[in-house]
Amino acid sequence: MGFSRILVAVDASPQASVVFEQALELAKKNYPASLMIFHYIELDAIACPSAVGVKTEQTQRLLQSYLQQARHQSITAEASYQVERSRKTLSSTLYIGKSICHMAKDWDADLIVLGKKNCKNSTEFVLISVSDYAIYYSHCPVFLIQDKAFNSYI
């Protein structure tokens, strides 16, 4: 079974490059697969317009860097991001996971690539993680990347 449309969810953490590299390898192995590089921006409810602009610019630079890496390796890639204000009613991971699943469905992805963090304390076991949400609600398979370097930052 090959994949032709791979969505990779990244953030601004150092671990995201590990996740992106794995998605890039999957795209190369499934050539001519294309990548959608997706980032979710969560803003404080009281964020001022200039903070929104700064976060958006940082995200655009991050995504541009990933796009250049993909294109340098002859992989067709595009990028998208979503900006939302924090919601205090539910865990933010729920909204991030939901956004990833919606983007994957809208883009018609046939694989989602995500990083997976280890739970460090008991309260994290109660809350649903982004990867848990994606596994449960996604319309397509989810490939989780768990790496020693990924866990050292948690």
Side-chain angles (χ1 to χ4, degrees):
M1 174 178 163
F3 301 105
S4 62
R5 296 176 66 79
I6 302 169
L7 182 137
V8 56
V10 297
D11 59 17
S13 70
Q15 309 90 332
S17 63
V18 173
V19 175
F20 177 75
E21 288 297 325
Q22 287 294 315
L24 202 54
E25 287 301 313
L26 284 166
K28 288 192 286 190
K29 288 179 181 174
N30 289 278
Y31 187 80
S34 58
L35 284 178
M36 167 60 77
I37 307 159
F38 181 71
H39 181 70
Y40 181 92
I41 303 170
E42 184 177 37
L43 299 169
D44 292 334
I46 57 171
C48 64
S50 63
V52 174
V54 168
K55 279 283 201 189
T56 301
E57 287 176 24
Q58 290 171 342
T59 297
Q60 289 171 341
R61 282 194 301 274
L62 174 74
L63 294 176
Q64 191 60 37
S65 170
Y66 285 132
L67 284 170
Q68 289 172 351
Q69 290 177 56
R71 291 174 182 153
H72 180 69
Q73 296 188 40
S74 301
I75 300 297
T76 302
E78 55 189 292
S80 183
Y81 62 92
Q82 181 174 342
V83 180
E84 288 205 21
R85 300 249 180 229
S86 293
R87 296 182 174 128
K88 302 297 179 191
T89 55
L90 290 173
S91 170
S92 64
T93 58
L94 186 70
Y95 292 103
I96 298 167
K98 188 174 184 178
S99 294
I100 291 168
C101 289
H102 280 259
M103 174 55 77
K105 189 163 181 73
D106 290 348
W107 189 66
D108 199 26
D110 51 20
L111 179 68
I112 298 172
V113 180
L114 293 173
K116 171 90 171 108
K117 297 180 183 180
N118 275 339
C119 294
K120 288 284 190 186
N121 60 48
S122 60
T123 59
E124 292 184 50
F125 289 109
V126 178
L127 301 174
I128 187 169
S129 71
V130 172
S131 55
D132 291 336
Y133 187 97
I135 289 168
Y136 191 79
Y137 290 104
S138 174
H139 75 285
C140 64
V142 177
F143 187 73
L144 297 179
I145 308 299
Q146 188 159 351
D147 182 274
K148 289 179 187 174
F150 199 77
N151 292 324
S152 67
Y153 290 97
I154 302 169

